[in-house]
């Protein structure tokens, strides 16, 4: 063993102290307790940790402090998730379905029956075979589209996809809910998705940035979790941001945690009007000749085609600051002031994702990029724009070394139909309908079987009532999940899956830093009859003669070892799998050079030698490709389109005078952890909080801590009032992810008893182009809740035989 | 007339040899396949490059490869997004329509196949293995070459690819893109 390797192991060994014990225990008891307690390394979307296991039970969870600089309370909830009563304990089948009666209309309304694994798997296989025979594989819908269940290698969506691909494929999802509008737009505009790309390093921000515009971005909140395992080093970096004296301007209807921490100036923009605000700034910069014409000339394409629109020569509407003021409710003087600040200081615009989850969401990033081009600081240290500073530790420098990936879905799909994320309900209810998508078309087939593993469509699909009604028309709904999620309760066949703490897995941290490999070791035995997703889908594949193709004859641990072998740790550092597994975590050094990273710097230095990956090699302020689509609601340049649903819609606002935003939760990843005690930190009488301004609270006669009904034409929810000065008048916020809980399960359209925001959101797509979600374009009203029943969101349904 | 008969004979011979082939569409199956011009100069062809067979000479075939010249490099398109061949100094190319050039020479027949997907089997498996860990596989043919470069830039970190693997995968994606090497299939 050479020195560097020895040093590495020394540094890399898990060194956190033994469990702290309560001061009330005697020394001897504490010693005995510690001796009988095993610390098992594991990792999650919330951070890396040790599970303290005694007598087969998790008695404590402590963060791996050498890999998590600023742990959150959320890791503490993970033990609760193992033992919660909301676990699916046995394979279950809905009563009427088991009797062969179908009665999809009773989904979510009747009890389940406990069955054996063989019976459940046979029933699922039979339903799939029947659908295949009747309508081909295009009648199968794999709704498990995202891998957010956990950060490990055996992602449930990958297992489900792998199974379907072995049998010829299924209808799948194109794009995503998170970045459904910006995702397909940005690559054509700026040659990169940007939303998932490494950002300018914190060190460069600290050294160079004078002004940071937080355009909807809440860096503190959304960096609490990660796709990979978060290190929370961003909090330390932000302390340096503060010391560096960076001026922060937060353009947001909410005074966010980040705005508060950074003591930002708050620009209380009207939701849905941000593009108009950007247009107003651009118009001012152009007319005042303060924009960087040299940058526009050298680094962009098509400004001349955008300019007539900006100046109103195309549509007769000049996009002046005064025009923008009417739409945004931001004074024209303020619009000019911010534009002036941007061009006279090194300014970084930190965009977010929520703005593009709204009507015409495609326009948001495009407008920011166009504005940033006029400001002219793209590619300069600490300047330009970033759409991922709020995600996965954006600003982290990268090790540049490979960590570990996951098991794949493999090939084999012969169906070739991918529906845009957000089109789930339409897919089910509108067979034969053709929609446009990214310049092409998609025709919905007739779906008979829907399967979802490790994710909850009744969590992420807008307009829950619409989705529930759609699901009740299906032939079969199959769910694999550790918990009785709202979607599992709406299923016919439910497979109990293990939690990651009940099996071995491997993962990495984090998306941009790429400097950790974590063992996710099994801590406890699987609860009840739960089985690994790998086993479940291998068993399903077996019923199609595809088990060996699914597993390739490998055990889960052999897959883990195989994935590890592709890492830099194995290939270059020559650390054996056995060594890694024993240590539980490996660390890579981050080279100092990585801390000098400035996004788009090479393009700025030499745009000929380092062109952007766009048709022109430059920033496409105008895109001939997009223009050629010929859509009315998506043009060849960034455009202000009035949202269909916003406070500027005077007629609708008379009926529903509050704009609802549903931002990322503070104490969850989407719906994850909603069934744990951690939620007690913020819930109001067991319901999701609704934040409302003091003026609006007075106007609607609601009090702090009261349960109210929030409603519109699509649905209604019960939420707990939090009156706060941190939200502007006319806007309310319910964080997304509460578990849907029908107040009256026997009714088709009933109030959600826990405050699931998607009862209120619309499935209306962004435009003919991306067809993405518009969950932030929602108007609602509030009224007294009346009589309230207990919230049963986290209880198992009635199960016969269990 | 004699020429026509001769060409026809070659064509029939080819049909016999490459049974399912439209003679214009054979594909380089082995990377760095050597194309030898009559004057002895060579060019190296990349995997998946389509060649048009002019004449079957038994173990070798005379072929034509078309592309766009930049120094000693030949690209699939004028925008030079995909390198398809590199030439020895002094390799003579024939000018065709617009900026297009043609490389003529002889190739070992065993380096060619008539089925483009066959060329990319290993790449495809790697693509599915690397790019479906988090999401379902996107259709490779749904994006242009430059769009694949744009998407790949953001995604390669998530797939944990080293430089060699990145080059390998990106060549597959671009070669099979909507404006890649296999245009007829889209």
């Amino acid at each position: 063993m050479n020195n560097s390797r020895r040093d590495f192991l020394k540094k890399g060994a898990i060194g956190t102290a033994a469990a702290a014990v309560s001061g009330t225990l005697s020394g001897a008891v504490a010693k005995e307790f510690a001796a009988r307690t095993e610390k098992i390394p594991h990792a999650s979307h919330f951070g890396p940790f040790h599970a303290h296991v005694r007598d087969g039970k998790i008695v404590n969870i402590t963060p791996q402090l050498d890999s998590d600089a600023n742990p959150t309370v959320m890791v503490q909830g993970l033990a609760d998730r193992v033992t919660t009563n909301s676990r699916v304990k046995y394979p279950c089948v809905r009563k009427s379905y088991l009797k062969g009666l179908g009665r999809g209309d009773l989904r979510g309304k009747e009890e389940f029956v406990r069955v054996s694994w063989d019976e459940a798997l046979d029933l699922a296989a039979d339903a799939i075979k029947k659908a295949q025979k009747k309508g081909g594989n295009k009648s199968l819908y794999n709704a498990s589209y995202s891998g957010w269940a956990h950060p490990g290698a055996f992602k449930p969506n990958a297992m489900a996809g792998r199974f379907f691909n072995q049998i010829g494929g299924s209808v799948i999802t194109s794009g995503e809910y998170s970045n459904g509008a910006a995702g397909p737009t940005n690559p054509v505009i700026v040659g990169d998705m940007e939303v998932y790309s490494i950002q300018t390093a914190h060190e460069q921000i600290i050294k160079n940035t004078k002004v940071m515009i937080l355009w909807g971005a809440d860096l503190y909140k959304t960096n609490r979790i990660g796709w990979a395992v978060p290190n929370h080093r961003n909090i330390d970096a932000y302390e340096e941001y503060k010391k560096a004296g960076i001026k922060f301007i937060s353009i947001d209807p909410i005074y966010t945690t980040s705005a508060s921490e950074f003591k930002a100036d708050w620009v209380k923009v009207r939701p849905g009007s941000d593009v108009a605000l950007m247009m107003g700034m651009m118009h001012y910069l152009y007319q005042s000749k303060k924009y960087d014409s040299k940058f526009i000339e050298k680094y962009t394409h098509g400004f001349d085609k955008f300019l007539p629109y900006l100046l109103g020569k195309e549509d007769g509407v000049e996009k002046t600051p005064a025009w923008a003021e009417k739409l945004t409710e931001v004074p024209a003087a303020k619009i000019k002031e911010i534009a002036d600040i941007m061009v006279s200081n090194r300014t970084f615009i930190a965009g977010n994702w929520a703005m593009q989850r709204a009507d015409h969401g495609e326009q948001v990033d495009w407008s920011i990029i166009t504005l940033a081009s006029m400001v002219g600081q793209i590619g300069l240290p600490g300047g330009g724009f970033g759409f991922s500073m709020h995600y996965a530790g954006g600003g982290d420098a990268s090790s540049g070394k490979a960590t570990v990936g996951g098991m794949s879905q493999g090939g084999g799909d012969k169906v070739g139909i991918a529906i845009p994320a957000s089109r789930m309900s339409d897919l089910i209810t509108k067979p034969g309908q053709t929609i446009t998508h990214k310049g092409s078309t998609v025709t919905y087939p007739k779906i008979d079987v829907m399967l979802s593993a490790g994710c909850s469509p009744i969590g992420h699909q807008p307009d829950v009532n619409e989705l529930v009604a759609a699901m009740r028309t299906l032939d079969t709904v199959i769910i694999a999940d550790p918990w009785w999620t709202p979607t599992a309760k709406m299923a016919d066949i439910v497979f109990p899956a293990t939690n990651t703490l009940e099996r071995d897995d491997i993962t990495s941290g984090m998306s941009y830093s790429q400097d950790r490999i974590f063992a996710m070791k099994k801590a406890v035995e699987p609860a009840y009859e739960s089985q690994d997703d790998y086993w479940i889908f291998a068993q399903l594949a077996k019923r199609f003669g595809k088990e060996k193709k699914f597993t390739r004859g490998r055990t889960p641990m052999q897959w883990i070892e195989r994935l590890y072998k592709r890492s830099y740790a194995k290939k270059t550092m020559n650390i054996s799998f056995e060594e890694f597994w024993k240590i539980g975590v490996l660390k890579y050094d981050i080279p100092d050079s990585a801390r000098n990273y400035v996004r788009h710097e090479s393009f700025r230095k030499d745009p000929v030698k380092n062109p952007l990956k766009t048709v022109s090699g430059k920033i496409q302020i105008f895109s001939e490709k997009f223009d050629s689509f010929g859509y009315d609601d998506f043009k060849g340049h960034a455009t202000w389109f009035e949202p269909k649903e916003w406070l500027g819609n005077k007629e609708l606002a008379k009926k529903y005078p509050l704009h609802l935003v549903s931002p990322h939760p503070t104490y969850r990843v989407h719906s994850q952890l909603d069934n744990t005690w951690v939620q007690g930190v913020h819930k109001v009488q067991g319901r999701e909080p609704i934040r409302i301004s003091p003026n609006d609270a007075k106007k609607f006669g609601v009090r702090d801590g009261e349960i109210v009904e929030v409603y519109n034409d699509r649905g209604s929810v019960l939420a707990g009032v939090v009156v706060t000065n941190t939200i502007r008048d006319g806007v309310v916020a319910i964080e997304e992810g509460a578990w849907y809980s029908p107040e009256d399960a026997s009714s088709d359209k009933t109030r959600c008893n826990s405050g699931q925001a998607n009862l209120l959101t619309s499935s209306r797509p962004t435009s003919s182009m991306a067809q993405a979600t518009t969950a932030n374009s929602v108007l609602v009203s509030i009224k007294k809740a009346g009589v309230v029943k207990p919230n049963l969101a986290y209880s198992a349904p009635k199960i016969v035989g269990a | 007339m004699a020429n026509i008969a001769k060409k026809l004979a070659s064509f029939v011979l080819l049909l016999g040899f490459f049974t399912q082939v439209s003679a214009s569409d054979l594909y380089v199956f082995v990377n760095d396949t050597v194309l030898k011009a009559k004057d002895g100069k060579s060019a190296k062809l990349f995997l998946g490059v389509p060649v048009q067979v002019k004449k079957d000479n038994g173990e070798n075939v005379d072929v034509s490869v078309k592309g766009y010249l930049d120094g000693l490099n030949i690209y699939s398109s004028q925008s030079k997004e995909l390198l398809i061949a590199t030439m020895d100094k002094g390799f003579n190319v024939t000018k065709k329509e617009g900026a297009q050039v043609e490389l003529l020479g002889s190739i070992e027949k065993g380096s060619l196949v008539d089925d483009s997907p066959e060329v990319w089997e290993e790449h495809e498996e790697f693509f599915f293995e690397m790019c479906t860990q988090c999401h379902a596989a996107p259709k490779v043919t749904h994006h242009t070459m430059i769009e694949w470069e744009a998407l790949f830039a953001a995604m390669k970190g998530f797939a944990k690819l080293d430089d060699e693997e990145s080059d390998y995968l990106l060549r597959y994606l671009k070669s099979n893109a909507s404006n890649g090497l296999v245009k007829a299939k889209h």
Side-chain angles (χ1 to χ4, degrees):
Chain A
M1 185 184 286
N2 61 36
N3 280 342
S4 61
R5 190 170 152 211
R6 243 195 320 269
D7 288 344
F8 172 87
L9 287 173
K10 196 175 163 189
K11 285 180 194 166
I14 297 165
T16 43
V21 290
S22 164
T24 58
L25 292 177
S26 72
V29 172
K31 204 172 170 185
E32 171 63 14
F33 186 88
R36 288 171 54 202
T37 304
E38 193 182 358
K39 279 172 59 182
I40 297 173
H42 207 81
S44 71
H45 286 312
F46 314 97
F49 61 90
H50 287 112
H52 298 235
V53 177
R54 191 162 60 91
D55 300 333
K57 288 180 183 161
I58 299 169
V59 294
N60 195 10
I61 280 184
T62 51
Q64 292 185 28
L65 291 171
D66 49 350
S67 293
D68 188 346
N70 295 282
T72 79
V73 69
M74 288 184 281
V75 291
Q76 295 287 342
L78 295 170
D80 197 19
R81 260 202 331 184
V82 176
T83 53
T84 168
N85 278 334
S86 57
R87 283 296 296 262
V88 182
K89 296 174 181 174
Y90 312 101
C92 289
V93 179
R94 186 171 58 82
K95 192 175 170 184
S96 295
Y97 189 90
L98 188 63
K99 286 181 180 171
L101 301 173
R103 293 298 310 271
D105 58 309
L106 293 179
R107 288 191 183 107
K109 296 177 181 175
E110 69 174 336
E111 62 263 44
F112 285 83
V113 180
R114 178 183 170 179
V115 297
S116 69
W117 265 108
D118 275 340
E119 195 170 5
L121 287 161
D122 287 346
L123 272 173
D126 288 349
I128 291 168
K129 285 174 184 171
K130 185 179 140 199
Q132 280 179 307
K133 200 172 173 185
K134 188 177 154 201
N137 278 48
K138 66 180 186 300
S139 62
L140 308 173
Y141 173 40
N142 178 12
S144 31
Y145 100 101
S146 169
W148 268 105
H150 58 73
F154 299 94
K155 295 189 188 301
N157 68 313
M159 300 299 98
R162 190 175 178 87
F163 158 71
F164 278 119
N165 285 342
Q166 300 296 346
I167 66 165
S170 66
V171 175
I172 56 172
T173 304
S174 168
E176 48 170 349
Y177 289 80
S178 299
N179 278 298
T185 307
N186 292 356
V188 175
I189 301 310
V190 69
D192 195 292
M193 289 181 80
E194 297 293 341
V195 293
Y196 298 123
S197 299
I198 189 155
Q199 301 290 288
T200 291
H202 288 307
E203 288 78 359
Q204 297 305 310
I205 300 282
I206 293 160
K207 199 171 159 188
N208 300 289
T209 303
K210 298 295 176 209
V211 176
M212 183 175 282
I213 311 283
L214 299 171
W215 212 314
D218 190 353
L219 312 186
Y220 275 89
K221 185 181 72 176
T222 46
N223 274 312
R224 286 159 60 88
I225 58 92
W227 172 262
V229 182
N231 57 43
H232 299 120
R233 291 199 292 258
N234 60 304
I235 305 290
D236 297 344
Y238 299 158
E239 287 305 304
E240 301 303 315
Y241 284 24
K242 292 173 189 171
K243 287 181 201 161
I246 298 170
K247 176 186 174 64
F248 286 87
I249 299 171
S250 177
I251 303 174
D252 203 310
I254 298 171
Y255 196 65
T256 60
T257 304
S258 301
S260 172
E261 284 282 341
F262 291 133
K263 299 188 170 39
D265 289 348
W266 184 18
V267 179
K268 302 176 184 180
V269 67
R270 183 153 70 167
S273 71
D274 301 85
V275 168
L277 189 57
M278 293 163 203
M279 293 290 171
M281 289 177 183
M282 287 190 270
H283 187 281
Y284 169 70
L285 290 177
Y286 181 77
Q287 292 294 29
S288 63
K289 296 189 171 51
K290 289 177 179 173
Y291 79 106
D292 189 337
S293 58
K294 285 182 184 163
F295 185 92
I296 293 291
E297 176 69 26
K298 189 173 179 183
Y299 298 101
T300 71
H301 167 84
F303 185 69
D304 57 328
K305 290 179 179 155
F306 168 67
L307 195 55
Y309 168 77
L310 189 67
L311 300 178
K313 289 174 184 170
E314 267 184 20
D315 57 0
V317 179
E318 209 170 348
K319 315 300 178 297
T320 63
W323 164 84
E325 177 179 330
K326 287 178 191 158
L327 299 166
T328 63
E329 297 179 347
V330 177
K334 189 72 181 175
I335 296 173
K336 291 178 191 173
E337 182 194 321
I338 298 169
D340 276 331
I341 288 171
M342 286 199 282
V343 291
S344 48
N345 294 279
R346 183 60 56 82
T347 300
F348 187 92
I349 304 172
N352 79 346
W353 299 350
M355 281 188 289
Q356 54 87 61
R357 292 193 292 260
D359 282 342
H360 307 290
E362 295 89 346
Q363 305 304 320
V364 175
D365 288 12
W366 200 353
S367 298
I368 287 180
I369 292 164
T370 307
L371 172 62
S373 297
M374 291 182 76
V375 172
Q377 298 178 17
I378 296 168
L380 292 180
F385 65 86
F387 295 122
S388 202
M389 290 304 283
H390 61 289
Y391 176 68
D396 257 351
S398 173
S399 77
K401 303 171 181 80
T403 53
V404 293
M407 255 192 88
S408 74
Q409 304 184 32
D413 177 61
K414 305 281 192 296
V415 174
I417 300 174
I419 61 144
S422 92
R423 302 293 85 216
M424 185 182 288
S425 301
D426 281 0
L427 166 70
I428 297 169
T429 57
K430 297 175 181 170
Q433 187 188 70
T434 297
I435 59 162
T436 57
H437 187 218
K438 298 193 287 187
S440 185
T441 58
V442 180
T443 301
Y444 301 133
K446 168 80 172 72
I447 299 297
D448 286 329
V449 174
M450 172 178 174
L451 183 147
S452 180
C455 65
S456 183
I458 301 179
H460 54 255
Q461 172 66 21
D463 199 340
V464 167
N465 282 325
E466 180 186 68
L467 177 62
V468 167
M471 287 177 71
R472 285 182 173 146
T473 68
L474 290 164
D475 182 71
T476 303
V477 178
I478 305 165
I479 301 295
D481 209 291
W483 300 284
W484 281 107
T485 65
T487 309
K489 289 177 182 173
M490 203 61 63
D492 299 315
I493 302 165
V494 182
F495 298 137
T498 48
N499 176 278
T500 63
L501 281 156
E502 295 161 342
R503 58 179 182 76
D504 292 318
D505 208 333
I506 188 169
T507 186
S508 63
M510 62 184 307
S511 293
Y512 300 139
S513 65
Q514 300 270 11
D515 64 337
R516 292 286 192 283
I517 302 177
F518 294 104
M520 294 169 67
K521 290 193 188 181
K522 178 177 173 178
V524 291
E525 289 303 315
Y528 304 95
E529 291 185 4
S530 58
Q531 293 280 1
D532 301 350
D533 293 296
Y534 182 77
W535 182 90
I536 293 168
F537 286 101
Q539 288 301 310
L540 211 47
K542 185 180 179 181
R543 283 153 173 81
F544 293 79
K546 302 286 185 185
E547 184 188 12
K548 281 279 184 275
K549 278 196 83 179
F550 182 93
T551 63
R552 296 205 173 193
R554 297 185 186 116
T555 64
M557 192 51 94
Q558 284 171 327
W559 277 107
I560 292 170
E561 189 167 351
R562 189 171 185 271
L563 292 163
Y564 175 76
K565 279 179 180 168
R566 293 192 62 251
S567 71
Y568 179 86
K570 177 70 180 82
K571 280 181 177 174
T572 307
M573 297 169 81
N574 203 27
I575 299 171
S576 72
F577 176 73
E578 290 72 23
E579 281 177 89
F580 153 66
W581 196 252
K582 189 177 169 191
I583 297 164
V585 56
L586 296 179
K587 305 171 186 174
Y588 296 154
D589 288 335
I590 293 173
D592 286 341
S593 58
R595 304 183 197 282
N596 296 328
Y597 180 76
V598 174
R599 188 145 191 83
H600 303 120
E601 186 178 46
S602 61
F603 166 64
R604 179 155 194 136
K605 282 183 175 166
D606 190 341
V608 175
K609 198 175 165 190
N610 308 305
L612 297 180
K613 306 301 183 188
T614 62
V615 171
S616 65
K618 298 178 178 184
I619 294 165
Q620 299 269 162
I621 289 178
F622 186 87
S623 163
E624 283 76 7
K625 175 174 178 167
F626 284 162
D627 189 51
S628 75
F629 290 172
Y631 299 145
D632 290 336
D633 53 2
F634 182 80
K635 304 289 186 184
H637 54 73
T639 307
W640 158 254
F641 294 101
E642 188 165 322
K644 292 183 177 63
E645 194 167 338
W646 73 312
L647 292 170
N649 182 339
K650 298 294 178 199
E651 276 307 301
L652 195 58
K654 275 183 204 164
K655 195 175 176 189
Y656 300 118
L658 295 168
H659 191 118
L660 172 73
V661 290
S662 45
H664 193 283
T666 310
Y667 296 100
R668 296 185 293 263
V669 174
H670 305 308
S671 61
Q672 289 188 47
L673 298 187
D674 203 43
N675 55 338
T676 66
W677 66 264
V678 170
Q679 299 308 311
V681 171
H682 73 120
K683 297 264 183 180
V684 177
Q685 294 194 52
R687 272 78 182 180
E688 198 65 17
I690 178 166
R691 278 180 282 172
I692 188 167
S693 75
N695 286 337
D696 285 332
K698 196 174 169 190
K699 192 169 153 187
F700 288 86
V702 297
R703 286 172 291 106
D704 214 13
E706 178 185 6
I707 297 175
V708 294
E709 181 177 338
V710 189
Y711 65 98
N712 60 19
D713 286 345
R714 290 178 289 269
S716 57
V717 306
L718 299 181
V721 172
V722 174
V723 179
T724 171
N725 280 314
T726 60
I727 193 159
R728 58 156 273 172
D729 290 344
V731 180
V732 288
I734 299 177
E735 292 183 343
E736 51 97 359
W739 284 19
Y740 169 59
S741 174
E743 193 176 36
D744 175 8
S746 65
S747 166
D748 279 339
K749 197 171 176 182
T750 179
R751 299 195 298 194
C752 170
N753 207 344
S754 53
Q756 215 284 44
N758 275 334
L759 270 288
L760 304 161
T761 58
S762 165
S763 67
R764 182 179 57 247
T766 50
S767 81
S768 309
M769 203 289 271
Q771 299 276 0
T773 184
T774 59
N776 277 323
S777 295
V778 180
L779 294 183
V780 298
S781 191
I782 295 181
K783 62 184 177 187
K784 294 285 181 188
V787 178
V788 170
K789 295 177 183 173
N791 180 9
L792 303 177
Y794 318 107
S795 307
K798 190 178 174 192
I799 299 164
V800 179
Chain B
M1 186 69 190
N3 267 348
I4 292 171
K6 201 171 163 187
K7 279 181 184 168
L8 196 64
S10 303
F11 187 62
V12 170
L13 195 69
L14 269 171
L15 281 180
F17 193 78
F18 303 104
T19 48
Q20 298 166 328
V21 184
S22 116
S24 61
D25 288 323
L26 296 182
Y27 300 92
V28 172
F29 188 65
V30 180
N31 207 23
D32 287 343
T33 286
V34 175
L35 172 84
K36 207 157 193 98
K38 279 186 179 165
D39 62 4
K41 298 284 183 188
S42 296
K44 282 183 181 170
L45 303 182
F46 284 73
L47 199 67
V49 171
V51 302
Q52 190 174 45
V53 178
K54 299 284 188 184
K55 189 181 172 192
D56 189 344
N57 298 317
E59 286 190 6
N60 296 312
V61 283
D62 291 347
V63 300
S64 151
V65 177
K66 286 175 185 159
Y68 295 84
L69 186 67
D70 180 23
L72 294 173
N73 293 331
I74 302 291
Y75 291 88
S76 69
S77 64
Q78 216 164 343
S79 51
K80 297 175 195 167
E81 288 166 62
L82 186 65
L83 185 64
I84 59 171
T86 55
M87 303 182 298
D88 282 353
K89 208 172 175 183
F91 191 103
N92 284 317
V93 296
T94 310
K95 290 205 168 179
K96 305 297 283 183
E97 278 178 30
Q100 201 176 42
V101 296
E102 182 179 35
L103 281 66
L104 293 169
S106 176
I107 288 181
E108 191 186 324
K109 203 187 288 176
S111 302
L112 300 172
V113 291
D114 58 7
D115 181 30
S116 177
E118 194 183 336
V119 176
W120 299 106
E121 268 176 2
E122 281 185 5
H123 288 71
E124 187 183 66
E125 191 176 344
F126 189 67
F127 164 67
F128 283 126
E129 190 172 350
M130 292 298 113
C131 303
T132 62
Q133 299 165 13
C134 309
H135 51 71
K139 281 270 174 281
V140 180
T141 54
H142 280 190
H143 295 287
T144 62
M145 288 195 276
I146 198 73
E147 284 168 8
W148 269 122
E149 287 211 44
L151 294 168
F152 192 75
M155 287 291 121
K156 70 177 181 184
F158 290 91
K160 324 293 180 194
L161 303 172
D162 62 27
D163 289 346
E164 193 183 334
E165 291 164 338
S166 293
D167 290 347
Y168 179 84
L169 195 50
L170 191 54
R171 174 154 281 277
Y172 162 73
L173 295 170
K174 288 169 72 175
S175 297
N176 291 277
S178 59
N179 61 346
L181 298 177
V182 199
K183 298 181 188 75
K185 303 254 171 175
H186 305 140

